[in-house]
Amino acid sequence: GADPQAPSQLLRCRALLAGPDTADELYLSALDRHDDTVGDFERARTELLYGKWLRRRRRLREARTRLEEARLGFERCGAPLWAQQAAAELRAGGAAPNPAPAASSGAGDLARLTPQQLRIARYVAAGATNREVALSLSVSTRTVDYHLRNVFATLGLRSRVELVRLVEQEEKTGARL
């Protein structure tokens, strides 16, 4: 009884361990319990986990709603890394990324990439060829080429050298990598 969030956290944990037939109900019960307490962060964590669960079951519309709620909750709490994780899940579920500033060319540019684009950008910045990236990620070289073209277009880059510089710059500033 000391922690008012404990009942909702317990339901969330049970949902994580439950089978598909009962997990949905447990997540919803946890969210109902969050309504009885204050604390956007724990509610956002539950929304994030539920959104991930829904996305993996191809219930994309419901997942987007939950993930957007999680992102907003994390932003209200001042938890930018958690908000970025929710945004990445949204992009993985097919939601359009948040609009980025038009001519950004500074720290945070890599945050505009999808999770797959970010993985490929990291490999390429480390010096891997498209074929090596494809082998590492178990995809075709055409898939790597497609994502790499989108990385260049999204970031406004023209060469691998520019990509390496951008990745190194963001590593130094501690931006999302």
Side-chain angles (χ1 to χ4, degrees), residues 35-80:
D35 290 340
D36 299 336
T37 60
V38 293
D40 284 339
F41 184 76
E42 288 301 328
R43 180 179 183 83
R45 286 184 63 195
T46 302
E47 294 274 12
L48 176 64
L49 290 169
Y50 188 33
K52 286 180 174 183
W53 185 86
L54 289 167
R55 184 178 67 78
R56 287 183 177 90
R57 276 144 192 83
R58 305 269 189 246
R59 294 167 55 184
L60 298 180
R61 185 171 298 171
E62 295 171 86
R64 286 184 197 128
T65 301
R66 297 297 176 183
L67 293 168
E68 183 61 24
E69 286 295 320
R71 187 185 66 77
L72 293 172
F74 289 132
E75 286 178 356
R76 280 191 301 269
C77 293

mmCIF file of all heavy atoms in Angstrom, residues 35-80:
data_model
loop_
_atom_site.group_PDB
_atom_site.id
_atom_site.type_symbol
_atom_site.label_atom_id
_atom_site.label_comp_id
_atom_site.label_asym_id
_atom_site.label_seq_id
_atom_site.Cartn_x
_atom_site.Cartn_y
_atom_site.Cartn_z
ATOM 1 N N ASP A 35 -5.431 5.375 -14.097
ATOM 2 C CA ASP A 35 -6.377 6.489 -14.020
ATOM 3 C C ASP A 35 -6.641 6.903 -12.572
ATOM 4 O O ASP A 35 -7.000 8.046 -12.308
ATOM 5 C CB ASP A 35 -7.704 6.121 -14.690
ATOM 6 C CG ASP A 35 -7.579 6.018 -16.204
ATOM 7 O OD1 ASP A 35 -6.611 6.585 -16.763
ATOM 8 O OD2 ASP A 35 -8.437 5.369 -16.823
ATOM 9 N N ASP A 36 -6.471 5.967 -11.636
ATOM 10 C CA ASP A 36 -6.741 6.235 -10.227
ATOM 11 C C ASP A 36 -5.566 6.901 -9.512
ATOM 12 O O ASP A 36 -5.692 7.273 -8.350
ATOM 13 C CB ASP A 36 -7.081 4.931 -9.493
ATOM 14 C CG ASP A 36 -8.328 4.261 -10.070
ATOM 15 O OD1 ASP A 36 -9.153 4.973 -10.681
ATOM 16 O OD2 ASP A 36 -8.451 3.037 -9.915
ATOM 17 N N THR A 37 -4.428 7.013 -10.180
ATOM 18 C CA THR A 37 -3.235 7.575 -9.545
ATOM 19 C C THR A 37 -2.662 8.684 -10.416
ATOM 20 O O THR A 37 -3.035 8.843 -11.572
ATOM 21 C CB THR A 37 -2.146 6.493 -9.344
ATOM 22 O OG1 THR A 37 -1.793 5.963 -10.620
ATOM 23 C CG2 THR A 37 -2.638 5.374 -8.444
ATOM 24 N N VAL A 38 -1.759 9.435 -9.837
ATOM 25 C CA VAL A 38 -1.040 10.436 -10.627
ATOM 26 C C VAL A 38 0.310 9.845 -10.989
ATOM 27 O O VAL A 38 0.832 8.992 -10.301
ATOM 28 C CB VAL A 38 -0.856 11.760 -9.835
ATOM 29 C CG1 VAL A 38 -2.182 12.420 -9.605
ATOM 30 C CG2 VAL A 38 -0.135 11.516 -8.534
ATOM 31 N N GLY A 39 0.851 10.302 -12.080
ATOM 32 C CA GLY A 39 2.146 9.800 -12.511
ATOM 33 C C GLY A 39 2.122 9.453 -13.984
ATOM 34 O O GLY A 39 1.797 8.329 -14.342
ATOM 35 N N ASP A 40 2.443 10.431 -14.799
ATOM 36 C CA ASP A 40 2.437 10.216 -16.245
ATOM 37 C C ASP A 40 3.485 9.203 -16.685
ATOM 38 O O ASP A 40 3.284 8.495 -17.663
ATOM 39 C CB ASP A 40 2.695 11.539 -16.977
ATOM 40 C CG ASP A 40 1.487 12.444 -17.001
ATOM 41 O OD1 ASP A 40 0.367 11.943 -16.820
ATOM 42 O OD2 ASP A 40 1.668 13.655 -17.213
ATOM 43 N N PHE A 41 4.610 9.140 -15.976
ATOM 44 C CA PHE A 41 5.700 8.288 -16.439
ATOM 45 C C PHE A 41 5.296 6.815 -16.443
ATOM 46 O O PHE A 41 5.494 6.111 -17.440
ATOM 47 C CB PHE A 41 6.957 8.499 -15.596
ATOM 48 C CG PHE A 41 8.133 7.711 -16.094
ATOM 49 C CD1 PHE A 41 8.823 8.127 -17.220
ATOM 50 C CD2 PHE A 41 8.527 6.548 -15.463
ATOM 51 C CE1 PHE A 41 9.897 7.395 -17.701
ATOM 52 C CE2 PHE A 41 9.599 5.813 -15.937
ATOM 53 C CZ PHE A 41 10.290 6.236 -17.061
ATOM 54 N N GLU A 42 4.761 6.323 -15.340
ATOM 55 C CA GLU A 42 4.387 4.908 -15.273
ATOM 56 C C GLU A 42 3.265 4.589 -16.256
ATOM 57 O O GLU A 42 3.255 3.536 -16.869
ATOM 58 C CB GLU A 42 3.999 4.515 -13.851
ATOM 59 C CG GLU A 42 5.178 4.450 -12.901
ATOM 60 C CD GLU A 42 6.253 3.456 -13.324
ATOM 61 O OE1 GLU A 42 5.939 2.415 -13.935
ATOM 62 O OE2 GLU A 42 7.432 3.734 -13.041
ATOM 63 N N ARG A 43 2.329 5.501 -16.411
ATOM 64 C CA ARG A 43 1.263 5.286 -17.388
ATOM 65 C C ARG A 43 1.861 5.216 -18.797
ATOM 66 O O ARG A 43 1.487 4.366 -19.598
ATOM 67 C CB ARG A 43 0.211 6.382 -17.321
ATOM 68 C CG ARG A 43 -0.890 6.146 -18.342
ATOM 69 C CD ARG A 43 -1.982 7.196 -18.302
ATOM 70 N NE ARG A 43 -3.022 6.846 -19.245
ATOM 71 C CZ ARG A 43 -4.015 5.998 -19.010
ATOM 72 N NH1 ARG A 43 -4.123 5.426 -17.830
ATOM 73 N NH2 ARG A 43 -4.903 5.721 -19.938
ATOM 74 N N ALA A 44 2.809 6.117 -19.091
ATOM 75 C CA ALA A 44 3.447 6.117 -20.409
ATOM 76 C C ALA A 44 4.207 4.815 -20.645
ATOM 77 O O ALA A 44 4.210 4.287 -21.763
ATOM 78 C CB ALA A 44 4.373 7.325 -20.539
ATOM 79 N N ARG A 45 4.840 4.287 -19.608
ATOM 80 C CA ARG A 45 5.541 2.998 -19.761
ATOM 81 C C ARG A 45 4.560 1.884 -20.112
ATOM 82 O O ARG A 45 4.839 1.036 -20.961
ATOM 83 C CB ARG A 45 6.304 2.649 -18.483
ATOM 84 C CG ARG A 45 7.562 3.484 -18.312
ATOM 85 C CD ARG A 45 8.369 3.073 -17.114
ATOM 86 N NE ARG A 45 8.838 1.700 -17.292
ATOM 87 C CZ ARG A 45 9.329 0.975 -16.296
ATOM 88 N NH1 ARG A 45 9.412 1.459 -15.083
ATOM 89 N NH2 ARG A 45 9.747 -0.251 -16.516
ATOM 90 N N THR A 46 3.414 1.898 -19.445
ATOM 91 C CA THR A 46 2.400 0.886 -19.748
ATOM 92 C C THR A 46 1.861 1.070 -21.165
ATOM 93 O O THR A 46 1.710 0.098 -21.916
ATOM 94 C CB THR A 46 1.250 0.953 -18.726
ATOM 95 O OG1 THR A 46 1.798 0.755 -17.414
ATOM 96 C CG2 THR A 46 0.208 -0.117 -18.997
ATOM 97 N N GLU A 47 1.609 2.322 -21.558
ATOM 98 C CA GLU A 47 1.146 2.606 -22.926
ATOM 99 C C GLU A 47 2.170 2.115 -23.951
ATOM 100 O O GLU A 47 1.810 1.543 -24.979
ATOM 101 C CB GLU A 47 0.894 4.105 -23.121
ATOM 102 C CG GLU A 47 -0.233 4.681 -22.302
ATOM 103 C CD GLU A 47 -1.600 4.553 -22.945
ATOM 104 O OE1 GLU A 47 -1.748 3.815 -23.929
ATOM 105 O OE2 GLU A 47 -2.525 5.199 -22.430
ATOM 106 N N LEU A 48 3.450 2.355 -23.676
ATOM 107 C CA LEU A 48 4.517 1.941 -24.594
ATOM 108 C C LEU A 48 4.534 0.420 -24.750
ATOM 109 O O LEU A 48 4.556 -0.104 -25.871
ATOM 110 C CB LEU A 48 5.873 2.445 -24.099
ATOM 111 C CG LEU A 48 7.096 2.003 -24.895
ATOM 112 C CD1 LEU A 48 7.046 2.549 -26.317
ATOM 113 C CD2 LEU A 48 8.370 2.454 -24.191
ATOM 114 N N LEU A 49 4.521 -0.285 -23.635
ATOM 115 C CA LEU A 49 4.557 -1.749 -23.711
ATOM 116 C C LEU A 49 3.307 -2.314 -24.393
ATOM 117 O O LEU A 49 3.394 -3.245 -25.194
ATOM 118 C CB LEU A 49 4.716 -2.336 -22.310
ATOM 119 C CG LEU A 49 6.088 -2.102 -21.675
ATOM 120 C CD1 LEU A 49 6.073 -2.483 -20.207
ATOM 121 C CD2 LEU A 49 7.155 -2.875 -22.432
ATOM 122 N N TYR A 50 2.166 -1.728 -24.086
ATOM 123 C CA TYR A 50 0.925 -2.177 -24.720
ATOM 124 C C TYR A 50 0.959 -1.871 -26.219
ATOM 125 O O TYR A 50 0.575 -2.707 -27.049
ATOM 126 C CB TYR A 50 -0.270 -1.517 -24.038
ATOM 127 C CG TYR A 50 -1.620 -2.030 -24.470
ATOM 128 C CD1 TYR A 50 -1.832 -3.351 -24.848
ATOM 129 C CD2 TYR A 50 -2.720 -1.183 -24.467
ATOM 130 C CE1 TYR A 50 -3.084 -3.810 -25.228
ATOM 131 C CE2 TYR A 50 -3.976 -1.633 -24.837
ATOM 132 C CZ TYR A 50 -4.152 -2.944 -25.221
ATOM 133 O OH TYR A 50 -5.391 -3.391 -25.601
ATOM 134 N N GLY A 51 1.461 -0.697 -26.587
ATOM 135 C CA GLY A 51 1.576 -0.338 -27.995
ATOM 136 C C GLY A 51 2.493 -1.283 -28.755
ATOM 137 O O GLY A 51 2.198 -1.700 -29.881
ATOM 138 N N LYS A 52 3.619 -1.639 -28.139
ATOM 139 C CA LYS A 52 4.531 -2.608 -28.763
ATOM 140 C C LYS A 52 3.827 -3.949 -28.961
ATOM 141 O O LYS A 52 3.945 -4.585 -30.011
ATOM 142 C CB LYS A 52 5.769 -2.822 -27.885
ATOM 143 C CG LYS A 52 6.748 -1.705 -27.879
ATOM 144 C CD LYS A 52 7.899 -2.089 -26.948
ATOM 145 C CE LYS A 52 9.021 -1.111 -26.964
ATOM 146 N NZ LYS A 52 10.136 -1.528 -26.112
ATOM 147 N N TRP A 53 3.114 -4.363 -27.924
ATOM 148 C CA TRP A 53 2.406 -5.639 -27.976
ATOM 149 C C TRP A 53 1.372 -5.627 -29.102
ATOM 150 O O TRP A 53 1.275 -6.576 -29.877
ATOM 151 C CB TRP A 53 1.747 -5.899 -26.617
ATOM 152 C CG TRP A 53 1.081 -7.225 -26.490
ATOM 153 C CD1 TRP A 53 1.659 -8.409 -26.129
ATOM 154 C CD2 TRP A 53 -0.304 -7.511 -26.711
ATOM 155 N NE1 TRP A 53 0.719 -9.403 -26.122
ATOM 156 C CE2 TRP A 53 -0.497 -8.885 -26.469
ATOM 157 C CE3 TRP A 53 -1.392 -6.734 -27.087
ATOM 158 C CZ2 TRP A 53 -1.734 -9.499 -26.602
ATOM 159 C CZ3 TRP A 53 -2.631 -7.344 -27.216
ATOM 160 C CH2 TRP A 53 -2.786 -8.720 -26.975
ATOM 161 N N LEU A 54 0.623 -4.537 -29.189
ATOM 162 C CA LEU A 54 -0.387 -4.422 -30.246
ATOM 163 C C LEU A 54 0.252 -4.409 -31.640
ATOM 164 O O LEU A 54 -0.247 -5.034 -32.574
ATOM 165 C CB LEU A 54 -1.213 -3.146 -30.050
ATOM 166 C CG LEU A 54 -2.179 -3.140 -28.872
ATOM 167 C CD1 LEU A 54 -2.673 -1.723 -28.604
ATOM 168 C CD2 LEU A 54 -3.343 -4.085 -29.123
ATOM 169 N N ARG A 55 1.357 -3.683 -31.775
ATOM 170 C CA ARG A 55 2.024 -3.595 -33.079
ATOM 171 C C ARG A 55 2.505 -4.964 -33.530
ATOM 172 O O ARG A 55 2.391 -5.330 -34.694
ATOM 173 C CB ARG A 55 3.200 -2.616 -33.014
ATOM 174 C CG ARG A 55 3.868 -2.399 -34.364
ATOM 175 C CD ARG A 55 4.993 -1.399 -34.286
ATOM 176 N NE ARG A 55 6.118 -1.854 -33.521
ATOM 177 C CZ ARG A 55 7.046 -2.715 -33.976
ATOM 178 N NH1 ARG A 55 6.940 -3.227 -35.177
ATOM 179 N NH2 ARG A 55 8.054 -3.066 -33.227
ATOM 180 N N ARG A 56 3.017 -5.751 -32.615
ATOM 181 C CA ARG A 56 3.515 -7.077 -32.970
ATOM 182 C C ARG A 56 2.386 -8.031 -33.356
ATOM 183 O O ARG A 56 2.616 -9.045 -33.978
ATOM 184 C CB ARG A 56 4.346 -7.632 -31.825
ATOM 185 C CG ARG A 56 5.678 -6.927 -31.740
ATOM 186 C CD ARG A 56 6.575 -7.488 -30.660
ATOM 187 N NE ARG A 56 7.865 -6.811 -30.687
ATOM 188 C CZ ARG A 56 8.157 -5.717 -30.003
ATOM 189 N NH1 ARG A 56 7.248 -5.161 -29.233
ATOM 190 N NH2 ARG A 56 9.353 -5.176 -30.087
ATOM 191 N N ARG A 57 1.190 -7.676 -32.967
ATOM 192 C CA ARG A 57 0.032 -8.479 -33.353
ATOM 193 C C ARG A 57 -0.718 -7.875 -34.534
ATOM 194 O O ARG A 57 -1.850 -8.224 -34.816
ATOM 195 C CB ARG A 57 -0.898 -8.656 -32.151
ATOM 196 C CG ARG A 57 -0.406 -9.825 -31.310
ATOM 197 C CD ARG A 57 -0.584 -9.630 -29.849
ATOM 198 N NE ARG A 57 0.156 -10.631 -29.096
ATOM 199 C CZ ARG A 57 1.445 -10.535 -28.806
ATOM 200 N NH1 ARG A 57 2.154 -9.514 -29.191
ATOM 201 N NH2 ARG A 57 2.058 -11.478 -28.126
ATOM 202 N N ARG A 58 -0.084 -6.920 -35.185
ATOM 203 C CA ARG A 58 -0.601 -6.279 -36.395
ATOM 204 C C ARG A 58 -1.903 -5.500 -36.152
ATOM 205 O O ARG A 58 -2.704 -5.326 -37.051
ATOM 206 C CB ARG A 58 -0.814 -7.299 -37.513
ATOM 207 C CG ARG A 58 0.391 -8.114 -37.847
ATOM 208 C CD ARG A 58 1.182 -7.456 -38.932
ATOM 209 N NE ARG A 58 2.228 -8.334 -39.415
ATOM 210 C CZ ARG A 58 3.514 -8.085 -39.251
ATOM 211 N NH1 ARG A 58 3.895 -7.005 -38.627
ATOM 212 N NH2 ARG A 58 4.425 -8.902 -39.718
ATOM 213 N N ARG A 59 -2.085 -5.031 -34.940
ATOM 214 C CA ARG A 59 -3.226 -4.175 -34.620
ATOM 215 C C ARG A 59 -2.705 -2.739 -34.632
ATOM 216 O O ARG A 59 -2.595 -2.078 -33.608
ATOM 217 C CB ARG A 59 -3.815 -4.577 -33.266
ATOM 218 C CG ARG A 59 -4.428 -5.983 -33.314
ATOM 219 C CD ARG A 59 -4.744 -6.576 -31.979
ATOM 220 N NE ARG A 59 -5.601 -5.754 -31.141
ATOM 221 C CZ ARG A 59 -5.922 -6.079 -29.894
ATOM 222 N NH1 ARG A 59 -5.487 -7.211 -29.368
ATOM 223 N NH2 ARG A 59 -6.683 -5.283 -29.168
ATOM 224 N N LEU A 60 -2.347 -2.304 -35.828
ATOM 225 C CA LEU A 60 -1.574 -1.076 -35.994
ATOM 226 C C LEU A 60 -2.315 0.187 -35.573
ATOM 227 O O LEU A 60 -1.714 1.084 -34.975
ATOM 228 C CB LEU A 60 -1.092 -0.965 -37.439
ATOM 229 C CG LEU A 60 -0.167 -2.095 -37.896
ATOM 230 C CD1 LEU A 60 0.250 -1.888 -39.336
ATOM 231 C CD2 LEU A 60 1.046 -2.200 -37.000
ATOM 232 N N ARG A 61 -3.580 0.291 -35.883
ATOM 233 C CA ARG A 61 -4.323 1.500 -35.512
ATOM 234 C C ARG A 61 -4.358 1.672 -33.995
ATOM 235 O O ARG A 61 -4.092 2.749 -33.472
ATOM 236 C CB ARG A 61 -5.736 1.448 -36.075
ATOM 237 C CG ARG A 61 -6.507 2.734 -35.812
ATOM 238 C CD ARG A 61 -7.797 2.750 -36.550
ATOM 239 N NE ARG A 61 -7.494 2.683 -37.983
ATOM 240 C CZ ARG A 61 -8.370 2.504 -38.930
ATOM 241 N NH1 ARG A 61 -9.630 2.367 -38.629
ATOM 242 N NH2 ARG A 61 -8.022 2.460 -40.194
ATOM 243 N N GLU A 62 -4.659 0.591 -33.286
ATOM 244 C CA GLU A 62 -4.675 0.647 -31.824
ATOM 245 C C GLU A 62 -3.274 0.916 -31.279
ATOM 246 O O GLU A 62 -3.107 1.680 -30.322
ATOM 247 C CB GLU A 62 -5.181 -0.673 -31.242
ATOM 248 C CG GLU A 62 -6.619 -0.998 -31.560
ATOM 249 C CD GLU A 62 -6.963 -2.408 -31.133
ATOM 250 O OE1 GLU A 62 -7.325 -2.584 -29.949
ATOM 251 O OE2 GLU A 62 -6.838 -3.320 -31.975
ATOM 252 N N ALA A 63 -2.284 0.293 -31.906
ATOM 253 C CA ALA A 63 -0.903 0.466 -31.458
ATOM 254 C C ALA A 63 -0.470 1.918 -31.598
ATOM 255 O O ALA A 63 0.149 2.479 -30.680
ATOM 256 C CB ALA A 63 0.036 -0.441 -32.258
ATOM 257 N N ARG A 64 -0.803 2.542 -32.715
ATOM 258 C CA ARG A 64 -0.408 3.939 -32.919
ATOM 259 C C ARG A 64 -1.010 4.846 -31.854
ATOM 260 O O ARG A 64 -0.346 5.750 -31.353
ATOM 261 C CB ARG A 64 -0.821 4.404 -34.310
ATOM 262 C CG ARG A 64 0.037 3.841 -35.394
ATOM 263 C CD ARG A 64 -0.347 4.395 -36.752
ATOM 264 N NE ARG A 64 0.213 3.555 -37.785
ATOM 265 C CZ ARG A 64 -0.471 3.039 -38.790
ATOM 266 N NH1 ARG A 64 -1.743 3.301 -38.937
ATOM 267 N NH2 ARG A 64 0.125 2.276 -39.679
ATOM 268 N N THR A 65 -2.260 4.594 -31.508
ATOM 269 C CA THR A 65 -2.911 5.402 -30.473
ATOM 270 C C THR A 65 -2.165 5.277 -29.154
ATOM 271 O O THR A 65 -1.849 6.273 -28.500
ATOM 272 C CB THR A 65 -4.382 4.955 -30.295
ATOM 273 O OG1 THR A 65 -5.053 5.105 -31.543
ATOM 274 C CG2 THR A 65 -5.071 5.765 -29.226
ATOM 275 N N ARG A 66 -1.860 4.057 -28.755
ATOM 276 C CA ARG A 66 -1.156 3.813 -27.490
ATOM 277 C C ARG A 66 0.256 4.390 -27.523
ATOM 278 O O ARG A 66 0.714 4.996 -26.553
ATOM 279 C CB ARG A 66 -1.108 2.324 -27.173
ATOM 280 C CG ARG A 66 -2.451 1.690 -26.968
ATOM 281 C CD ARG A 66 -3.169 2.281 -25.790
ATOM 282 N NE ARG A 66 -4.500 1.698 -25.676
ATOM 283 C CZ ARG A 66 -5.369 2.058 -24.780
ATOM 284 N NH1 ARG A 66 -5.080 3.000 -23.904
ATOM 285 N NH2 ARG A 66 -6.551 1.499 -24.743
ATOM 286 N N LEU A 67 0.949 4.200 -28.626
ATOM 287 C CA LEU A 67 2.332 4.679 -28.722
ATOM 288 C C LEU A 67 2.395 6.207 -28.740
ATOM 289 O O LEU A 67 3.310 6.800 -28.158
ATOM 290 C CB LEU A 67 3.007 4.086 -29.954
ATOM 291 C CG LEU A 67 3.227 2.572 -29.885
ATOM 292 C CD1 LEU A 67 3.636 2.023 -31.247
ATOM 293 C CD2 LEU A 67 4.264 2.216 -28.828
ATOM 294 N N GLU A 68 1.435 6.838 -29.382
ATOM 295 C CA GLU A 68 1.394 8.300 -29.380
ATOM 296 C C GLU A 68 1.117 8.818 -27.968
ATOM 297 O O GLU A 68 1.717 9.795 -27.528
ATOM 298 C CB GLU A 68 0.344 8.822 -30.367
ATOM 299 C CG GLU A 68 0.302 10.325 -30.464
ATOM 300 C CD GLU A 68 1.594 10.981 -30.931
ATOM 301 O OE1 GLU A 68 2.401 10.319 -31.621
ATOM 302 O OE2 GLU A 68 1.804 12.161 -30.605
ATOM 303 N N GLU A 69 0.217 8.158 -27.249
ATOM 304 C CA GLU A 69 -0.043 8.529 -25.855
ATOM 305 C C GLU A 69 1.221 8.368 -25.015
ATOM 306 O O GLU A 69 1.524 9.205 -24.162
ATOM 307 C CB GLU A 69 -1.170 7.678 -25.268
ATOM 308 C CG GLU A 69 -2.538 8.044 -25.769
ATOM 309 C CD GLU A 69 -2.967 9.437 -25.339
ATOM 310 O OE1 GLU A 69 -2.705 9.835 -24.194
ATOM 311 O OE2 GLU A 69 -3.569 10.141 -26.174
ATOM 312 N N ALA A 70 1.952 7.287 -25.259
ATOM 313 C CA ALA A 70 3.197 7.062 -24.522
ATOM 314 C C ALA A 70 4.205 8.166 -24.827
ATOM 315 O O ALA A 70 4.827 8.729 -23.919
ATOM 316 C CB ALA A 70 3.784 5.696 -24.893
ATOM 317 N N ARG A 71 4.355 8.505 -26.096
ATOM 318 C CA ARG A 71 5.306 9.551 -26.486
ATOM 319 C C ARG A 71 4.961 10.876 -25.814
ATOM 320 O O ARG A 71 5.833 11.543 -25.243
ATOM 321 C CB ARG A 71 5.327 9.713 -28.010
ATOM 322 C CG ARG A 71 6.420 10.662 -28.508
ATOM 323 C CD ARG A 71 6.315 10.886 -29.999
ATOM 324 N NE ARG A 71 5.104 11.589 -30.372
ATOM 325 C CZ ARG A 71 4.905 12.906 -30.218
ATOM 326 N NH1 ARG A 71 5.837 13.655 -29.695
ATOM 327 N NH2 ARG A 71 3.771 13.464 -30.589
ATOM 328 N N LEU A 72 3.701 11.238 -25.858
ATOM 329 C CA LEU A 72 3.275 12.492 -25.233
ATOM 330 C C LEU A 72 3.486 12.465 -23.715
ATOM 331 O O LEU A 72 3.916 13.450 -23.118
ATOM 332 C CB LEU A 72 1.809 12.775 -25.560
ATOM 333 C CG LEU A 72 1.504 13.086 -27.019
ATOM 334 C CD1 LEU A 72 0.004 13.156 -27.251
ATOM 335 C CD2 LEU A 72 2.186 14.369 -27.460
ATOM 336 N N GLY A 73 3.185 11.330 -23.095
ATOM 337 C CA GLY A 73 3.393 11.190 -21.655
ATOM 338 C C GLY A 73 4.846 11.344 -21.271
ATOM 339 O O GLY A 73 5.184 12.035 -20.299
ATOM 340 N N PHE A 74 5.733 10.729 -22.040
ATOM 341 C CA PHE A 74 7.168 10.844 -21.754
ATOM 342 C C PHE A 74 7.648 12.277 -21.954
ATOM 343 O O PHE A 74 8.474 12.776 -21.195
ATOM 344 C CB PHE A 74 7.979 9.881 -22.619
ATOM 345 C CG PHE A 74 7.808 8.434 -22.240
ATOM 346 C CD1 PHE A 74 7.561 7.479 -23.206
ATOM 347 C CD2 PHE A 74 7.898 8.030 -20.922
ATOM 348 C CE1 PHE A 74 7.404 6.146 -22.868
ATOM 349 C CE2 PHE A 74 7.749 6.689 -20.566
ATOM 350 C CZ PHE A 74 7.496 5.748 -21.544
ATOM 351 N N GLU A 75 7.125 12.947 -22.973
ATOM 352 C CA GLU A 75 7.510 14.341 -23.190
ATOM 353 C C GLU A 75 7.049 15.225 -22.034
ATOM 354 O O GLU A 75 7.782 16.103 -21.591
ATOM 355 C CB GLU A 75 6.953 14.848 -24.520
ATOM 356 C CG GLU A 75 7.691 14.295 -25.712
ATOM 357 C CD GLU A 75 7.121 14.742 -27.047
ATOM 358 O OE1 GLU A 75 6.085 15.445 -27.063
ATOM 359 O OE2 GLU A 75 7.706 14.365 -28.085
ATOM 360 N N ARG A 76 5.830 14.979 -21.533
ATOM 361 C CA ARG A 76 5.333 15.752 -20.386
ATOM 362 C C ARG A 76 6.202 15.535 -19.155
ATOM 363 O O ARG A 76 6.368 16.428 -18.337
ATOM 364 C CB ARG A 76 3.891 15.356 -20.052
ATOM 365 C CG ARG A 76 2.849 15.984 -20.935
ATOM 366 C CD ARG A 76 1.447 15.768 -20.376
ATOM 367 N NE ARG A 76 1.098 14.369 -20.215
ATOM 368 C CZ ARG A 76 0.486 13.622 -21.144
ATOM 369 N NH1 ARG A 76 0.164 14.154 -22.301
ATOM 370 N NH2 ARG A 76 0.193 12.365 -20.909
ATOM 371 N N CYS A 77 6.744 14.335 -19.011
ATOM 372 C CA CYS A 77 7.575 14.002 -17.841
ATOM 373 C C CYS A 77 9.016 14.467 -18.004
ATOM 374 O O CYS A 77 9.799 14.355 -17.062
ATOM 375 C CB CYS A 77 7.596 12.494 -17.629
ATOM 376 S SG CYS A 77 6.030 11.827 -17.157
ATOM 377 N N GLY A 78 9.379 14.925 -19.182
ATOM 378 C CA GLY A 78 10.765 15.307 -19.422
ATOM 379 C C GLY A 78 11.684 14.105 -19.573
ATOM 380 O O GLY A 78 12.807 14.111 -19.080
ATOM 381 N N ALA A 79 11.185 13.064 -20.225
ATOM 382 C CA ALA A 79 11.963 11.843 -20.461
ATOM 383 C C ALA A 79 12.188 11.688 -21.961
ATOM 384 O O ALA A 79 11.529 10.870 -22.616
ATOM 385 C CB ALA A 79 11.230 10.635 -19.882
ATOM 386 N N PRO A 80 13.121 12.470 -22.543
ATOM 387 C CA PRO A 80 13.272 12.466 -23.997
ATOM 388 C C PRO A 80 13.721 11.134 -24.589
ATOM 389 O O PRO A 80 13.305 10.787 -25.696
ATOM 390 C CB PRO A 80 14.299 13.567 -24.257
ATOM 391 C CG PRO A 80 15.044 13.712 -22.972
ATOM 392 C CD PRO A 80 14.066 13.367 -21.890
#
